[in-house]
């Protein structure tokens, strides 16, 4: 009885939400939002890159991205604090011994996955992709190493250093923008390269590569922690 | 016309998967169903002309999120025995 | 034609949103509640992106010529896409935090049933 009541309430809510959104959409018809119009029109003279979404994520709304990596970092700190870790040697007891197929497939697939992730990170300002997508691909590709039974101890100090250095360089680039052009995250390398080449868009590819490194290390820590918890 | 057909098919598949998740008792099946719904959503994002979001959803929503959920479930099941 | 497509997008998103919330409220298993929240999150993302969709337009990846000649008339709205890009990454972070809370809850109480919390408090 209670379940049926909940179902009825939610279906009523769903129908009313549906009507609400359809009303918004019919009044919008085929117009851009004001900010979308501005970003699309001024992207060519501001940053000179094809992918408008990348320029919004890294430049027009760069503060959002800084907040986002902070949230990612905080949630992983929360995960670290919740569960007591066991030693790395315990992993081999918990995972079952990998078969020949998994081992051989990992040897062949792992470098290709790394290469694909790096390609997606580097081409983030020219084609769909970027730091978050490529970082997730590399970070979850490293889970394959654990599944294939790689018993090597991870050097955690090195990964922590890489992570902190990448975030520090992102903030340093933002501060250099204040020094050169009086605005945080201002694109002071604007005149570099021609439209559509890898080295273009000024600081955008640099920021996206650093975000990619950061996201890779975060997700790698998360997937390693899953096995160690 | 092709877009409408694909979207209709994805909607039907999503609803089927949702009902299956609602009814099933096995949690691992439910987690795999979640990853599948994320995959359908990523195709939907591609139809909505959002290739960046589609890639993110396929890499993060389907693969990584599903891996984390299934990993924790397997850990709990192992300790339960 | 365009209206049918937009209605289908909204339908998909809202069904996922409400279905996920129903699963989160009704089910007794904590992990199934978390799965419900993940589904609701996917539904919200679909609704958000579909507000920026305009029929018969290009994705916001344009060459030099298109960007200098009135790009707002040939591309879909890029702002919801950038926001949803952020939202998905935050979603996986919160999902992992949820899941590890469930693991911690299991280790403290020996069960993942939601109703066992009331018995413990007595």
């Amino acid at each position: 009885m209670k379940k049926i009541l909940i179902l009825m309430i939610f279906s009523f809510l769903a129908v009313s939400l549906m009507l609400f959104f359809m009303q918004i959409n019919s009044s919008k018809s085929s117009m851009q939002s004001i900010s979308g119009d501005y970003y699309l029109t001024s992207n060519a003279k501001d940053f000179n890159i094809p992918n408008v979404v990348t320029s919004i994520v890294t430049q027009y709304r760069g503060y959002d991205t800084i907040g986002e990596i902070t949230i990612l970092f905080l949630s992983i700190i929360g995960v670290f604090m919740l569960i007591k870790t066991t030693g790395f040697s315990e992993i081999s007891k918990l995972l079952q011994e990998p078969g020949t197929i998994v081992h051989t497939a990992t040897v062949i697939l792992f470098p290709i996955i790394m290469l694909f992730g790096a390609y997606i990170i580097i081409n983030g300002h020219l084609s769909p992709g970027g730091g978050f997508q490529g970082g997730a691909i590399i970070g979850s590709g490293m889970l394959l190493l654990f599944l294939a039974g790689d018993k090597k101890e991870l050097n955690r100090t090195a990964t922590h250093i890489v992570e902190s250095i990448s975030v520090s360089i992102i903030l340093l680039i933002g501060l250099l923008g204040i020094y050169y052009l009086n605005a945080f995250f201002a694109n002071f390398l604007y005149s570099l390269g021609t439209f559509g080449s890898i080295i273009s868009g000024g600081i955008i590819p640099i920021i996206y590569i650093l975000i990619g490194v950061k996201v890779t290390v975060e997700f790698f820590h998360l997937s390693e922690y899953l096995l160690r918890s | 016309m092709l877009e409408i057909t694909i979207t209709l098919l994805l909607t039907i598949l999503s609803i089927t998967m949702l009902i299956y998740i609602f009814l099933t008792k096995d949690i691992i099946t439910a987690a795999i169903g979640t990853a599948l719904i994320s995959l359908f959503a990523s195709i939907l994002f591609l139809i909505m002309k959002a290739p960046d979001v589609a890639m993110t959803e396929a890499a993060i929503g389907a693969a990584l999120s599903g891996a984390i959920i299934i990993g924790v479930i397997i850990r709990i099941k192992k300790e339960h025995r | 034609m365009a209206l049918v497509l937009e209605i289908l997008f909204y339908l998909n998103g809202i069904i996922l949103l409400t279905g996920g919330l129903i699963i989160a409220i009704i089910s007794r298993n904590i992990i199934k509640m978390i799965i419900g929240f993940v589904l609701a999150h996917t539904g919200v993302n679909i609704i958000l992106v579909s507000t920026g969709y305009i029929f018969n337009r290009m994705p916001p990846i344009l060459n030099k010529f298109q960007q200098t000649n009135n790009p707002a008339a040939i591309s879909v709205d890029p702002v919801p896409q950038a926001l949803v890009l952020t939202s998905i990454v935050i979603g996986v972070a919160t999902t992992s935090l949820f899941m590890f809370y469930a693991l911690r809850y299991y280790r403290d109480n020996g069960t993942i049933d939601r109703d066992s919390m009331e018995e413990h408090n007595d």
Side-chain angles (χ1 to χ4, degrees), chain B residues 49-71:
Chain B
K49 306 287 164 60
D52 279 282
V53 183
M55 277 178 95
T56 319
E57 182 75 34
I60 295 178
L64 203 64
S65 171
I68 288 166
I69 293 174
I70 291 174

Side-chain angles (χ1 to χ4, degrees), chain A residues 40-198:
Chain A
L40 279 167
T41 322
S42 56
N43 181 54
K45 66 174 167 48
D46 281 352
F47 304 120
N48 208 18
I49 59 170
N51 195 343
V52 184
V53 176
T54 300
S55 66
I56 292 177
V57 166
T58 57
Q59 291 279 305
Y60 290 120
R61 287 176 185 260
Y63 281 120
D64 283 14
T65 308
I66 295 288
E68 176 185 5
I69 38 185
T70 315
I71 289 176
L72 197 60
F73 183 60
L74 282 179
S75 77
I76 285 169
I77 287 178
V79 168
F80 277 19
M81 285 168 72
L82 272 176
I83 307 282
K84 225 183 285 172
T85 41
T86 56
F88 201 80
S89 55
E90 302 283 311
I91 293 177
S92 48
K93 285 181 208 161
L94 289 167
L95 289 175
Q96 54 186 5
E97 201 60 32
T100 322
I101 296 176
V102 174
H103 193 81
T104 318
T106 304
V107 169
I108 297 171
L109 279 179
F110 184 69
I112 299 175
I113 292 174
M114 294 294 115
L115 199 65
F116 182 59
Y119 165 77
I120 283 179
I121 291 177
I122 293 170
N123 270 302
H125 56 302
L126 304 178
S127 60
F132 298 113
Q133 292 93 323
I137 288 171
I138 297 179
S140 46
M142 284 181 175
L143 194 61
L144 208 62
L145 275 187
F146 293 120
L147 292 181
D150 195 348
K151 303 282 194 313
K152 274 188 214 113
E153 177 87 43
L154 172 74
N155 190 352
R156 289 185 78 89
T157 341
T159 51
H160 283 305
I161 287 173
V162 167
E163 190 182 354
S164 8
I165 283 179
S166 64
V167 179
S168 311
I169 296 177
I170 292 176
L171 292 177
L172 191 73
I173 287 174
L175 291 177
L176 277 177
I178 294 182
Y179 178 73
Y180 284 112
L181 294 177
N182 290 327
F184 195 61
F185 269 117
N187 200 335
F188 55 91
L189 290 174
Y190 164 71
S191 55
L192 214 65
T194 55
F195 184 89
S197 61
I198 294 272

Side-chain angles (χ1 to χ4, degrees), chain B residues 5-19:
Chain B
T5 318
I6 296 173
T7 314
L8 198 62
L9 198 70
L10 287 173
T11 313
I12 293 167
L13 280 173
S14 297
I15 294 170
T16 323
M17 222 59 221
L18 202 65
I19 293 170

Side-chain angles (χ1 to χ4, degrees), chain A residues 57 64-73 75-76 130-136 208 211 214-216 218-219 222, chain B residues 52-53 55-62 64-65 68, chain C residues 41 45 81-97:
Chain A
V57 166
D64 283 14
T65 308
I66 295 288
E68 176 185 5
I69 38 185
T70 315
I71 289 176
L72 197 60
F73 183 60
S75 77
I76 285 169
F132 298 113
Q133 292 93 323
Y208 236 5
I211 287 175
K214 163 87 178 160
V215 171
T216 303
E218 289 297 10
F219 286 149
L222 198 62
Chain B
D52 279 282
V53 183
M55 277 178 95
T56 319
E57 182 75 34
I60 295 178
L64 203 64
S65 171
I68 288 166
Chain C
H41 184 251
N45 286 343
Q81 300 188 9
L83 297 183
V84 168
L85 201 68
T86 313
S87 160
I88 290 173
V89 180
I90 291 176
V92 77
T94 49
T95 305
S96 61
L97 199 59

